Amino acid sequence: QVQLVESGGGLVQGGGSLRLSCAASGLPSSISAMAWFRQAPGKEREFVAFINGNGITFSGDSVKGRFTVSRDNAKNTMSLQMDSLKPEDTAVYYCAARTGFWGSRNSRDYNYWGQGTQVTISS
């Protein structure tokens, strides 16, 4: 069975940094597309970034230039380096994967999801 487990969330001040990790197991392919989404209370789930099976990335406008997504196919892991954090980045961050090589900005295109990790940024 596919399992995705996020880690690295926490509480930091504005302008600080955090690094999130997602450990994947049981995926049908080691080069499946993976992505990060986030959801704040009372808001829709928001696309953050995806990474294709070949390592090419795409980020949402709200985080472009501040967040960097990467992967290690040999270890079946994905990371999100978050710099210059703002209070509006506060949310639960979710790891996702799909049974395909190419990523997507649409959460409905992903088959598998982690349980999420809380990120809180104080002003």
Side-chain angles (χ1 to χ4, degrees):
Q1 185 175 353
V2 174
Q3 185 176 13
L4 303 176
V5 181
E6 303 95 336
S7 62
L11 171 64
V12 299
Q13 293 184 347
S17 297
L18 278 176
R19 185 175 180 86
L20 306 183
S21 295
C22 174
S25 62
L27 286 171
S29 173
S30 63
I31 54 174
S32 296
M34 301 182 71
W36 291 98
F37 291 81
R38 66 187 184 185
Q39 189 165 24
K43 299 186 67 176
E44 295 290 320
R45 186 161 296 188
E46 177 187 19
F47 168 73
V48 176
F50 71 65
I51 184 164
N52 294 329
N54 60 0
I56 303 301
T57 64
F58 184 86
S59 300
D61 291 342
S62 63
V63 306
K64 196 163 295 183
R66 300 187 298 121
F67 292 8
T68 303
V69 63
S70 61
R71 69 188 295 161
D72 186 335
N73 291 347
K75 296 181 179 179
N76 295 317
T77 58
M78 176 181 64
S79 297
L80 184 69
Q81 178 65 44
M82 304 186 293
D83 299 319
S84 301
L85 285 162
K86 306 173 181 179
E88 50 262 45
D89 294 319
T90 296
V92 176
Y93 283 70
Y94 295 92
C95 173
R98 64 179 304 216
T99 56
F101 183 88
W102 306 106
S104 169
R105 295 176 291 177
N106 188 346
S107 64
R108 293 191 173 184
D109 289 334
Y110 293 86
N111 308 97
Y112 313 109
W113 293 85
Q115 297 184 56
T117 185
Q118 177 71 48
V119 172
T120 303
I121 313 302
S122 61
S123 59

